[in-house]
Amino acid sequence: MTSQQLPAPPADAKKSKAGRNLPAAIGVGGFLGGLCIAVLLFAPQWWYALVGAAVVVASWEVIKRLREGGFAVPVAPLLVGGAAIIASSWFSDGNPAGVLVALVATVLVTMVWRLLSQGLSAAPVGYLPDLAASVLVLLWIPVLASFGAAMVLDDHGPQRVFTLMIVVVCSDVGGYAAGVLFGKHPMVPAISPKKSWEGLVGSLTFGIIGAVCCVVFLLDSHWWIGVILGAVLVLCATLGDLVESQVKRDLEIKDMGSLLPGHGGIMDRLDSLLPSAFIVWAVLSALL
């Protein structure tokens, strides 16, 4: 920094040690959390609509970044198909078979769409990597999100969704606090330099405590289910975050979007929630 810059605070002065604009991140996170809580408490029938809207926006962010990175993924089939996957879960009362049918139909349409994208007289270039990236978008966003949407239809449905959100927040807060205060040993510096083993321990501690409290007080079940759920969910959420970090590293970008100040895009908030939604659905369906 030059001497001319000293009198004025730098643009990122409000960023925390972990690299976030903390006031903006807290404000946006509080608003999104409040919106989800309000829907689940007062209008749970609109939960599917909220999830569907988030899926469309997150899919668009990833599609845009992939296209900027040289992947000619088709826009219309992925956006319409992603919405159809969420809708199929609703119309099939949360049955994964409905999601599977919509997924297969969307993949078939995407295959033909990309094949004919340059007309009948020219063969598409990069067909296989474009198709692989398209399937990744479908599996990564709408399919995983469908499990988070479907939980609202189960017994104690809103409480199950609250469990998902609370444990993920506990994991994030625990990891953030422990990483900032004690983080000295990078976990995977080649993928995410800010993640530390100390942060993972904080995530596990807070995540397990949060999961036990949710299972006991929200779901009225056994504490040991919370221990299993918390440990598996924290590990899955951490890996989900690392997966998105590696995708962004390959695409040479910092965030998937810029819609949410202090967070990036919608997809940057869903990276750990999406795999966690499947974990919560699977563990609670098996053990409750």
Side-chain angles (χ1 to χ4, degrees), residues 174-262:
Y176 178 82
V180 168
L181 295 174
F182 310 110
K184 294 182 179 179
H185 301 88
M187 188 164 59
V188 278
I191 298 176
S192 183
K194 292 185 176 68
K195 287 195 177 298
S196 65
W197 288 107
E198 292 83 358
L200 179 61
V201 172
S203 290
L204 283 169
T205 302
F206 278 64
I208 291 174
I209 292 173
V212 169
C213 291
C214 287
V215 169
V216 172
F217 296 111
L218 289 181
L219 301 175
D220 193 26
S221 191
H222 305 291
W223 63 269
W224 57 266
I225 296 178
V227 174
I228 296 173
L229 176 64
V232 176
L233 189 151
V234 167
L235 294 176
C236 185
T238 302
L239 292 173
D241 185 53
L242 290 175
V243 165
E244 196 208 18
S245 295
Q246 183 57 44
V247 171
K248 291 189 290 188
R249 186 172 291 274
D250 277 4
L251 295 175
E252 299 181 347
I253 58 176
K254 183 179 184 297
D255 294 313
M256 284 294 183
S258 57
L259 184 63
L260 306 176

Side-chain angles (χ1 to χ4, degrees), residues 5-264:
Q5 294 173 307
L6 288 175
D12 59 350
K14 295 182 180 180
K15 287 186 178 180
S16 66
K17 181 180 176 182
R20 289 186 185 183
N21 183 330
L22 196 55
I26 293 175
V28 171
F31 171 77
L32 294 177
L35 177 61
C36 292
I37 291 171
V39 170
L40 289 168
L41 286 179
F42 303 110
Q45 68 274 15
W46 288 99
W47 176 245
Y48 261 92
L50 184 61
V51 173
V55 162
V56 171
V57 175
S59 297
W60 165 245
E61 290 175 344
V62 175
I63 291 168
K64 181 181 178 182
R65 290 302 197 182
L66 287 172
R67 291 175 71 87
E68 291 172 351
F71 294 89
V73 293
V75 178
L78 296 184
L79 292 182
V80 174
I85 288 171
I86 300 299
S88 70
S89 176
W90 167 263
F91 288 114
S92 63
D93 294 327
N95 191 331
V99 172
L100 179 61
V101 170
L103 170 65
V104 172
T106 304
V107 170
L108 291 176
V109 171
T110 302
M111 292 169 65
V112 175
W113 189 289
R114 182 66 185 92
L115 182 68
L116 303 178
S117 60
Q118 295 175 314
L120 298 176
S121 59
V125 178
Y127 179 77
L128 187 57
D130 293 342
L131 185 60
S134 300
V135 175
L136 170 64
V137 172
L138 294 172
L139 292 174
W140 192 13
I141 306 176
V143 169
L144 289 178
S146 69
F147 293 98
M151 282 192 292
V152 80
L153 302 176
D154 295 329
D155 292 335
H156 300 95
Q159 290 90 333
R160 295 188 184 217
V161 179
F162 279 134
T163 298
L164 165 65
M165 295 191 298
I166 290 171
V167 179
V168 170
V169 169
C170 287
S171 173
D172 285 348
V173 170
Y176 178 82
V180 168
L181 295 174
F182 310 110
K184 294 182 179 179
H185 301 88
M187 188 164 59
V188 278
I191 298 176
S192 183
K194 292 185 176 68
K195 287 195 177 298
S196 65
W197 288 107
E198 292 83 358
L200 179 61
V201 172
S203 290
L204 283 169
T205 302
F206 278 64
I208 291 174
I209 292 173
V212 169
C213 291
C214 287
V215 169
V216 172
F217 296 111
L218 289 181
L219 301 175
D220 193 26
S221 191
H222 305 291
W223 63 269
W224 57 266
I225 296 178
V227 174
I228 296 173
L229 176 64
V232 176
L233 189 151
V234 167
L235 294 176
C236 185
T238 302
L239 292 173
D241 185 53
L242 290 175
V243 165
E244 196 208 18
S245 295
Q246 183 57 44
V247 171
K248 291 189 290 188
R249 186 172 291 274
D250 277 4
L251 295 175
E252 299 181 347
I253 58 176
K254 183 179 184 297
D255 294 313
M256 284 294 183
S258 57
L259 184 63
L260 306 176
H263 293 270

